[in-house]
Amino acid sequence: MRIILFTGKGGVGKTTLSAATALRTASQGIKTLVISTDPAHSLSDALDRELGPEPLEVAPNLFAQEFDVYYSMKKHWENVRQLMLVAFRWQGVENVVAEELSALPGMEEASAFLWLEEYYQKQEYELIIIDSAPTGETLSLLALPQVTQSWIMKAFPGQRFAMKGFGAMVRTMTGIPLDKGLDELENLFEKLERIHKVMQDPEVCSIRLVLNPERMVIREARRAYTYLQLYGYNVDGVIVNRIFPEEAGQGGFQQYISSQKEYLEEIDTSFQPLPIFRLEHLGREVFGLELLGRIGEATYGNINPAAVLFHDNPFEFEEKDGGYLARIKLPLVEEQALTVKKFGDELILTLGNQRRSIFLPRFANYLQLKGYSFQPPWLEVELVR
């Protein structure tokens, strides 16, 4: 089974590209499930079909699903939910508020992981496409197992044995099987860790960045690209959406078209050697299978969207000698023309009259550039406190 996750800044067209890709693969005979994990669901609008919390067939070989956090809780961790409710009520929280609080931070994302783990175990779909939340929420998935476990332990102070004792006590007093909830919680963490490893397997999971040729969108996409690589996820393509055609400049968009050309060149430079797909603005709102089919064909052409389009790790960051070493792969670069400077958490690489920005982890904002060396194709940058 393959998993492809689409991410990018809010409003760039992730849902449209996710749905179009899913329809494209389904039309090629691949049994495909497209899932929306964004709480502000718009997948049903894109497909022009009513969707629910369980998969629904919307076209031959194409199934779609919009997650619902409370439905997922009932399905995957009802005992955990009961555990949270009792704990909050025990601490004096009113019933309605306790019900709302029982949806832990990150529960929406955790539910996505649990559904994926179930589908991966059953292998009932050949391809799962994830229409994710905007970039920040997507990146929060990366540390989800550890973060969720940390939150639980803070909500229930004490070690595992004490938690079990608390559960047994409340079960005796109320009849609610809280000890079973704790067993379910441990099972939940195991599932999260299993699917986390699956999604870090480049032969199984690919991430595709969707962006528009706009300054803020490009910066966020570059930063996301760095973090995804740091966390071991394989980014196998970039889709540049809503490109205005040249003739649009005759209608008062001359300045925008001029800026767009520069941004398209910046995208090529920033994301090489990733495959970069360009999709022109259709000039209309996109929904329904017919338009999605056109978009899928225009985006991929003769390429199989379900394939792993690229597999490499051109960025590494490791602790070394009290500081950090950043290794950046720069294919087709001549050493004598390269200079490196650092501003905050950004490295500026100058190659002749070309400049390229590389975003580092945010804590690198407080590190100093000690030096750098280049042994083609790897640039090594030393950073110290």
Side-chain angles (χ1 to χ4, degrees):
M1 193 182 82
R2 282 272 287 137
I3 300 171
I4 302 174
L5 185 147
F6 286 80
T7 189
K9 190 175 176 62
V12 296
K14 295 186 302 297
T15 301
T16 298
L17 267 301
S18 300
T21 302
L23 182 60
R24 183 74 172 165
T25 57
S27 68
Q28 295 172 345
I30 300 171
K31 189 176 181 181
T32 303
L33 170 65
V34 58
I35 298 170
S36 172
T37 65
D38 191 340
H41 294 303
S42 54
L43 182 60
S44 57
D45 296 325
L47 292 168
D48 200 21
R49 296 286 194 278
E50 286 292 328
L51 301 178
E54 293 278 354
L56 176 71
E57 188 169 10
V58 296
N61 292 316
L62 178 59
F63 298 77
Q65 177 182 9
E66 288 184 334
F67 287 153
D68 178 271
V69 63
Y70 292 101
Y71 180 88
S72 298
M73 286 168 62
K74 293 283 288 183
K75 181 180 177 73
H76 289 288
W77 44 22
E78 175 60 17
N79 289 325
V80 174
R81 175 176 163 274
Q82 290 293 336
L83 172 63
M84 300 302 298
L85 283 173
V86 170
F88 285 125
R89 289 168 182 165
W90 183 57
Q91 294 174 23
V93 179
E94 293 186 7
N95 286 357
V96 174
V97 179
E99 187 75 45
E100 287 293 319
L101 288 175
S102 67
L104 303 173
M107 188 76 84
E108 198 91 34
E109 294 85 355
S111 298
F113 266 134
L114 293 175
W115 281 100
L116 285 173
E117 198 273 340
E118 177 182 320
Y119 294 142
Y120 190 77
Q121 294 299 326
K122 292 181 178 178
Q123 293 286 311
E124 58 184 304
Y125 300 100
E126 296 172 87
L127 170 65
I128 292 183
I129 292 177
I130 304 171
D131 168 32
S132 73
T135 312
E137 288 86 338
T138 300
L139 293 176
S140 70
L141 282 170
L142 305 177
L144 188 65
Q146 297 85 352
V147 170
T148 306
Q149 191 163 12
S150 172
W151 198 96
I152 290 285
M153 294 305 294
K154 288 177 181 176
F156 297 94
Q159 300 299 316
R160 178 176 176 273
F161 180 80
M163 291 174 66
K164 289 269 187 176
F166 171 78
M169 177 188 71
V170 176
R171 183 180 186 182
T172 301
M173 295 173 62
T174 67
I176 297 174
L178 298 188
D179 46 349
K180 290 185 179 180
L182 291 165
D183 289 336
E184 187 176 86
L185 196 60
E186 289 184 11
N187 185 42
L188 179 150
F189 291 141
E190 291 174 2
K191 288 182 176 181
L192 288 177
E193 290 176 2
R194 278 202 302 270
I195 195 62
H196 201 245
K197 290 177 181 177
V198 168
M199 293 187 70
Q200 287 181 322
D201 182 346
E203 299 302 322
V204 176
C205 181
S206 299
I207 296 183
R208 292 181 189 165
L209 297 172
V210 181
L211 63 152
N212 305 142
E214 300 173 6
R215 182 174 182 271
M216 290 180 64
V217 177
I218 295 170
R219 287 179 64 86
E220 181 164 326
R222 288 203 311 247
R223 192 181 298 279
Y225 183 37
T226 296
Y227 274 90
L228 289 166
Q229 290 176 96
L230 286 175
Y231 284 104
Y233 285 76
N234 182 50
V235 179
D236 79 342
V238 173
I239 301 177
V240 188
N241 190 28
R242 298 181 187 145
I243 301 173
F244 278 83
E246 288 285 340
E247 52 267 28
Q250 301 173 6
F253 285 86
Q254 294 92 340
Q255 186 174 352
Y256 185 89
I257 297 299
S258 178
S259 299
Q260 178 180 263
K261 287 182 180 178
E262 296 178 6
Y263 290 138
L264 289 172
E265 292 175 0
E266 183 179 345
I267 290 169
D268 288 339
T269 302
S270 298
F271 295 102
Q272 64 174 336
L274 286 175
I276 298 175
F277 302 89
R278 295 187 176 192
L279 185 64
E280 283 197 354
H281 201 300
L282 292 187
R284 57 182 294 185
E285 187 179 9
V286 177
F287 61 88
L289 299 184
E290 182 182 351
L291 284 178
L292 291 174
R294 287 171 52 187
I295 286 178
E297 183 178 1
T299 303
Y300 296 102
N302 295 324
I303 294 174
N304 177 10
V308 179
L309 305 178
F310 184 81
H311 182 198
D312 197 5
N313 184 16
F315 185 86
E316 298 173 2
F317 198 82
E318 62 184 47
E319 193 170 2
K320 184 178 179 181
D321 300 330
Y324 292 87
L325 180 68
R327 299 182 76 244
I328 302 151
K329 195 173 187 179
L330 301 175
L332 307 177
V333 170
E334 298 290 337
E335 179 179 7
Q336 61 270 21
L338 181 67
T339 61
V340 180
K341 295 182 179 179
K342 180 180 180 294
F343 298 96
D345 62 351
E346 190 175 1
L347 288 178
I348 307 296
L349 314 183
T350 303
L351 182 63
N353 60 355
Q354 300 291 319
R355 299 180 72 192
R356 179 178 175 186
S357 297
I358 303 289
F359 283 98
L360 302 170
R362 290 191 182 275
F363 71 84
N365 184 62
Y366 304 102
L367 301 176
Q368 303 298 317
L369 175 62
K370 180 180 179 181
Y372 63 90
S373 62
F374 185 66
Q375 295 293 328
W378 288 98
L379 168 68
E380 293 191 349
V381 180
E382 292 183 81
L383 302 168
V384 295
R385 295 183 177 86

